[in-house]
Amino acid sequence: MNIDYTKEELEFQQEVRTWFKENLPEDVKRKHQIGAPFSKDETVAWQKTLSKAGYFVVGWPEEHGGPGWTATQRYIFDSERAAAGAPVGMSMGVIMLGPVLMAFGTQEQKDLYLPRIKDCDDWWCQGYSEPGAGSDLASLKTQAVLDGDEYVINGTKIWTTYGHHANLCFCLVRTDNDCKQQLGISFILIDMEAEGIDVRPIISIDGEHHLNQVFFDDVRVPKKNLVGAEGQGWTIAKYLLTHERTTIAGVADSKLNFSNLKELAKTQTANGAPLIEDEQLRLKIAEEEIKLLALEYTNFRTLADTAAGRAPGPESSLLKVKGTETQQSLSELRVEMAGNYAYVWKADETVAPAEFLHATEQYNFLRACTIYGGSTEVQKNVVAKMLLGLK
Amino acid sequence: MDFSLSSEQKLIKDGVEKFVRNEYDFETRNKIIATEDGFDRALWKQFAELGWLGISFSEEDGGFGGGAIDTNIIMEAFGSGMVVEPYLATVVLGGNALALGGTPTQKEEVLGSVIAGETLLAVAYAETQSRFQLSDVATTAAKSGEQYSLNGEKVVVYGGAWADKVIVSARTSGDQMSEAGITLFLVDAKASGVSVTSYQSMDGARMANIAMKNVTVGADAIVGQLDQGYALLDQVVDSGISALCAEAIGEMNALFQKTLAFVKEREQFGVAIGSFQTIQHRLVDMFMAVESSRSMAIMNALKLSSTDVTERKKAVSAAKVYIGQNSRHCAQEAVQLHGGIGVTEELDIGHYFRRLTLFCGAFGSTNHHLKRFADLSD
Ligand SMILES: Cc1cc2nc3c(=O)[nH]c(=O)nc-3n(C[C@H](O)[C@H](O)[C@H](O)COP(=O)(O)OP(=O)(O)OC[C@H]3O[C@@H](n4cnc5c(N)ncnc54)[C@H](O)[C@@H]3O)c2cc1C
């Protein structure tokens, strides 16, 4: 048993490391480091840089324009990306829709959308949740009724992350009301500029605009935008959610955040001494590091399973639950370190050090990571069913 | 043993609770914090007329002879509605500084005017480098003739944006970290050399950094004794913590009640989510957090006026630690159990969450007070 990389993998690691060193703009790195929000333009610009280097659709196979990396290479890439201080970007198209289209899309859909995702020409949002359908996603009500060669869509989606940036949306809609809930759901691609769509902002607990509610009023969508068959939406959604869960764990980014915090504890002073000389804080930092190790090695084991072609079991839920808890506790640590500056809201560097300006915003917003992508409670229900052998 | 309130106290409790219920709903609060001032001066006048600003002060000082329990009654009710008016800064911190250390003239002129709702106060002690250490004071007050000249900057001052007068800690002797040599001065916020930079705190209220450049005051501006300001400041801040703990109970209880109502109403999988046992246990945990925290707030209030300083400090730190941990738990759970709607600005849940996050760090984090408690217990 070992966790050593092969010679080729080490070379690959070096190559990626060098690329980030040479291509990550200082301002992007800094913003990411202090947790400042990115504008749409800033995100797109950075993603285009990644894309030009062939580093955007990193999980994709070669036949669809991806690098065709092994699971280990992907892991190396992600670790290097995070360690370099580069944001992962908002790439629902890359992580979620891409794999779905590859598995279920028509040739036309693949030809049309995959290259545009790869080049970061489209911004996709995910239209699953509804006011009445959160954890119980299968109860969703947004209707799609076939009228000639178009579906007419009515209903509403909520919590649509960056729906206000998106020009396209992959959506779950109800196409049949007379069968088992799950079987009446279809997966469809919607143009956000279509007539009848109204995107309304939802300001979140960090005081920022990430989320939206989207209203559909007789929106006409060509039939050819259906992905898979009518009624296959639930199968597709489940396929996609497993992808979402493993990425949400964010182990590599938590490692970076941790090392930034540790550095901060050495450089920020209070009462004439670096923060890290406070014994309690020092031990708390150590505790976080230990939790991260447990997470990292669980991640390694999942990775080894994937590399060996075994489907991840309950570990993907474990990673999601523990990974998001770690994100939350690291954000608490930053707030603790910020001391009095944690109270400051939407201020600038004349009032508080840059490293702490967004500390509470992040702490607040990260409460959401145990809610989205399958809440912790729902994850535990899934694992409980597996462990207890329940139906 | 008797934990019941006196009939006067019951009246106050009913009065403040009724005010919050009828005149300070979430929408009203949002409007108030969106105004340029960030609080409602007319309401402040109303508080004065109702006698709420004078309740805890002695009759001699123009108050009604109440104490920490009365302060807590008001603060808990204020907490239930996240009232932003500067009761803590003006009445509890500023008022207590004057009540405990003010000269007869200061009491008559300033405390009287505070009780009448005409003067707003703030106590400014934190500095960029000082974190939670009250004794870390770099601001200087140099004596020349009969005057003192103040130089330095105070940061994250509660109510600092609104204060007419600020009580600042400054060094009159000793080195930067020493408890001896700190003096409290009453400074006019409009005095020449004072500059106030105000900003919003995460709960929607206003705070300020207050810089002083060659601000000249006379010896009559000293609150308490020359060089002996630390003990007074410590006691004043302890009274603030006690009051803030009571406020936190109000907020925690509001979160518990609102979450309880929500899980009974919110349906997923065809049933109320409150029917899931895992959710039921979580609510029970919240309930236990609220009630055990309430016990700590009472303990704290009863010991606040103890002449045994160690006993007082231990009580305050114990309450801060316990209520800090439990309020964080309640706040996080309330958001989690609400799901997506819990992380929005639209719903009050997120606002209580922010207010309690602020509470956890205010006047020393949980860690700070854990250490203070342990040190005093050795
Ligand atoms: C920041 C953020 C971004 C999001 N982005 C998107 C997006 O881009 N697109 C999209 O479609 N959706 C998105 N979501 C929605 C997200 O997937 C839902 O919030 C999530 O599924 C939970 O649903 P809900 O909010 O309705 O909460 P509910 O399902 O009502 O849950 C409320 C509480 O009940 C618990 N609960 C529910 N069922 C059970 C059960 N059976 N047993 C035990 N406990 C239970 C939950 O865990 C939670 O604590 C986002 C959400 C957030 C917060």
Side-chain angles (χ1 to χ4, degrees):
Chain A
M1 205 179 292
N2 68 71
I3 56 154
D4 301 334
Y5 293 135
T6 64
K7 183 165 160 289
E8 291 74 27
E9 285 165 348
L10 286 171
E11 280 167 14
F12 173 74
Q13 182 181 41
Q14 202 49 53
E15 183 188 312
V16 174
R17 191 171 292 178
T18 310
W19 187 85
F20 275 103
K21 195 176 270 171
E22 288 168 359
N23 293 282
L24 176 63
E26 220 27 68
D27 57 333
V28 173
K29 185 175 171 177
R30 179 67 180 157
K31 272 200 141 180
H32 184 51
Q33 188 183 27
I34 63 170
F38 282 75
S39 71
K40 177 182 178 179
D41 287 349
E42 287 167 335
T43 304
V44 170
W46 169 237
Q47 289 182 351
K48 288 222 177 229
T49 308
L50 286 170
S51 173
K52 287 204 185 83
Y55 282 167
F56 190 44
V57 290
V58 291
W60 290 15
E62 270 172 302
E63 59 165 316
H64 295 298
W69 289 336
T70 62
T72 310
Q73 281 177 305
R74 290 209 298 274
Y75 177 82
I76 292 173
F77 176 83
D78 200 45
S79 304
E80 291 301 322
R81 189 265 313 150
V88 69
M90 269 312 303
S91 40
M92 290 193 177
V94 178
I95 296 162
M96 302 191 205
L97 184 64
V100 162
L101 289 180
M102 290 172 210
F104 302 94
T106 62
Q107 194 56 46
E108 195 191 340
Q109 288 167 343
K110 290 180 198 171
D111 292 345
L112 177 61
Y113 296 119
L114 292 178
R116 293 184 57 84
I117 295 175
K118 176 173 133 317
D119 297 337
C120 190
D121 288 335
D122 288 326
W123 189 307
W124 285 90
C125 64
Q126 179 191 32
Y128 281 22
S129 309
E130 296 179 5
S135 298
D136 181 15
L137 187 57
S139 68
L140 63 91
K141 288 202 175 71
T142 297
Q143 288 284 336
V145 177
L146 198 57
D147 177 25
D149 56 1
E150 287 175 331
Y151 283 101
V152 181
I153 308 214
N154 280 288
T156 180
K157 294 290 173 183
I158 197 168
W159 316 124
T160 322
T161 303
Y162 300 131
H164 57 303
H165 292 344
N167 60 317
L168 291 159
C169 176
F170 53 95
C171 229
L172 290 179
V173 290
R174 185 158 297 288
T175 41
D176 190 344
N177 295 303
D178 300 325
C179 56
K180 187 171 176 257
Q181 266 188 346
Q182 282 80 354
L183 300 179
I185 297 172
S186 301
F187 192 104
I188 199 163
L189 310 176
I190 301 178
D191 185 343
M192 290 295 280
E193 267 115 59
E195 209 169 307
I197 293 186
D198 183 15
V199 181
R200 294 185 205 161
I202 298 174
I203 305 302
S204 43
I205 192 169
D206 57 347
E208 298 291 322
H209 177 196
H210 311 282
L211 306 174
N212 304 274
Q213 182 164 5
V214 184
F215 294 85
F216 301 89
D217 181 15
D218 283 336
V219 177
R220 301 190 80 87
V221 179
K223 195 179 169 196
K224 65 176 174 29
N225 283 18
L226 194 71
V227 178
E230 253 194 30
Q232 212 186 352
W234 190 249
T235 311
I236 299 177
K238 275 181 28 184
Y239 173 83
L240 196 153
L241 275 180
T242 14
H243 277 266
E244 187 180 356
R245 269 164 209 171
T246 34
T247 46
I248 286 178
V251 184
D253 291 281
S254 285
K255 277 184 70 178
L256 171 73
N257 191 12
F258 173 79
S259 61
N260 282 339
L261 284 174
K262 197 165 174 181
E263 194 50 39
L264 204 55
K266 291 177 187 159
T267 51
Q268 289 285 327
T269 59
N271 311 128
L275 287 176
I276 193 117
E277 286 180 21
D278 176 318
E279 187 65 5
Q280 285 167 300
L281 193 66
R282 199 172 73 88
L283 296 182
K284 203 161 178 184
I285 290 173
E287 216 174 297
E288 288 301 325
E289 188 161 1
I290 292 167
K291 281 197 271 178
L292 262 176
L293 272 171
L295 196 59
E296 190 177 16
Y297 273 73
T298 308
N299 203 12
F300 279 143
R301 288 173 56 209
T302 318
L303 179 69
D305 276 349
T306 321
R310 287 186 293 267
E315 296 86 355
S316 77
S317 281
L318 189 161
L319 269 179
K320 203 264 168 180
V321 170
K322 292 287 177 192
T324 49
E325 280 173 4
T326 300
Q327 290 172 39
Q328 291 178 337
S329 60
L330 286 174
S331 73
E332 277 185 39
L333 182 61
R334 190 180 289 263
V335 169
E336 166 79 27
M337 285 170 53
N340 293 319
Y341 291 119
Y343 319 143
V344 171
W345 192 245
K346 310 287 169 202
D348 58 27
E349 283 178 58
T350 58
V351 166
E355 281 77 6
F356 297 135
L357 282 176
H358 305 283
T360 36
E361 282 166 34
Q362 285 202 318
Y363 167 66
N364 293 352
F365 191 66
L366 279 169
R367 299 319 305 168
C369 70
T370 47
I371 295 169
Y372 58 62
S375 73
T376 295
E377 291 74 25
V378 167
Q379 300 287 343
K380 287 184 180 174
N381 286 348
V382 170
V383 178
K385 271 189 193 151
M386 285 194 222
L387 296 180
L388 295 166
L390 305 174
K391 274 259 166 199
Chain B
M1 206 177 295
D2 181 9
F3 283 98
S4 59
L5 300 175
S6 70
S7 54
E8 291 86 7
Q9 288 170 332
K10 277 194 195 121
L11 270 177
I12 302 165
K13 186 169 149 59
D14 289 348
V16 188
E17 284 175 354
K18 204 167 131 211
F19 160 77
V20 171
R21 220 175 20 250
N22 298 340
E23 294 177 61
Y24 212 91
D25 62 11
F26 182 52
E27 220 174 292
T28 308
R29 178 185 193 267
N30 282 340
K31 282 196 192 120
I32 291 173
I33 61 179
T35 59
E36 185 163 351
D37 226 6
F39 84 109
D40 189 333
R41 286 179 193 271
L43 284 182
W44 192 253
K45 272 276 170 209
Q46 194 179 321
F47 295 175
E49 279 153 23
L50 290 163
W52 296 350
L53 307 185
I55 258 163
S56 64
F57 302 115
S58 70
E59 286 170 23
E60 231 166 79
D61 290 343
F64 299 97
I69 297 284
D70 303 80
T71 304
N72 281 16
I73 289 171
I74 293 181
M75 288 298 282
E76 183 178 335
F78 278 174
S80 70
M82 297 180 283
V83 169
V84 292
E85 279 62 28
Y87 198 86
L88 180 81
T90 295
V91 178
V92 182
L93 295 171
N96 273 322
L98 295 178
L100 295 165
T103 62
T105 319
Q106 287 168 348
K107 283 187 183 181
E108 199 180 310
E109 287 177 3
V110 187
L111 189 52
S113 156
V114 164
I115 294 171
E118 280 150 11
T119 296
L120 299 176
L121 298 179
V123 173
Y125 63 88
E127 299 180 357
T128 320
Q129 82 293 340
S130 72
R131 202 168 159 83
F132 306 128
Q133 225 44 269
L134 306 185
S135 56
D136 185 345
V137 178
T139 296
T140 54
K143 191 166 185 200
S144 69
E146 290 310 301
Q147 310 274 52
Y148 289 88
S149 173
L150 276 67
N151 280 287
E153 192 188 13
K154 299 293 174 180
V155 298
V156 293
V157 181
Y158 276 83
W162 303 320
D164 302 303
K165 290 185 189 299
V166 188
I167 294 161
V168 297
S169 59
R171 192 150 287 292
T172 35
S173 69
D175 60 28
Q176 193 184 313
M177 303 290 176
S178 78
E179 290 179 7
I182 295 170
T183 306
L184 304 186
F185 291 92
L186 182 65
V187 178
D188 198 300
K190 300 232 161 50
S192 128
V194 176
S195 57
V196 178
T197 311
S198 61
Y199 44 87
Q200 217 170 37
S201 50
M202 75 163 120
D203 60 340
R206 304 290 194 278
M207 286 188 154
N209 290 359
I210 300 180
M212 289 160 293
K213 195 158 185 244
N214 301 325
V215 176
T216 312
V217 292
D220 59 352
I222 294 176
V223 180
Q225 304 293 312
L226 179 72
D227 286 342
Q228 311 284 312
Y230 176 78
L232 175 59
L233 180 62
D234 194 36
Q235 192 178 356
V236 167
V237 169
D238 275 359
S239 71
I241 294 173
S242 171
L244 210 52
C245 282
E247 188 197 296
I249 305 297
E251 284 144 7
M252 288 166 76
N253 191 47
L255 282 176
F256 166 66
Q257 299 294 349
K258 284 166 194 285
T259 308
L260 182 67
F262 179 79
V263 303
K264 286 201 243 176
E265 203 175 283
R266 172 69 174 167
E267 288 189 3
Q268 287 289 277
F269 306 99
V271 292
I273 59 171
S275 66
F276 302 128
Q277 216 158 46
T278 173
I279 303 247
Q280 292 167 0
H281 286 193
R282 305 269 285 273
L283 274 152
V284 174
D285 285 338
M286 281 179 83
F287 170 76
M288 298 198 290
V290 175
E291 289 310 319
S292 54
S293 294
R294 189 190 299 283
S295 305
M296 287 302 261
I298 292 170
M299 179 281 300
N300 187 10
L302 291 175
K303 295 191 176 186
L304 191 64
S305 55
S306 171
T307 46
D308 178 345
V309 174
T310 306
E311 187 186 24
R312 182 199 84 214
K313 288 188 183 195
K314 276 181 72 179
V316 167
S317 284
K320 185 74 195 341
V321 169
Y322 194 88
I323 302 173
Q325 286 168 340
N326 281 279
S327 67
R328 168 164 300 199
H329 175 78
C330 267
Q332 294 181 344
E333 287 292 90
V335 169
Q336 180 70 22
L337 295 181
H338 273 80
I341 192 77
V343 297
T344 62
E345 281 243 327
E346 198 178 306
L347 199 69
D348 51 6
I349 297 299
H351 296 255
Y352 284 100
F353 176 91
R354 296 209 295 235
R355 186 92 165 173
L356 283 173
T357 302
L358 197 150
F359 163 73
C360 286
F363 304 115
S365 64
T366 297
N367 271 348
H368 174 82
H369 282 283
L370 189 59
K371 183 162 186 307
R372 187 182 186 233
F373 184 87
D375 289 348
L376 292 164
S377 306
D378 286 344

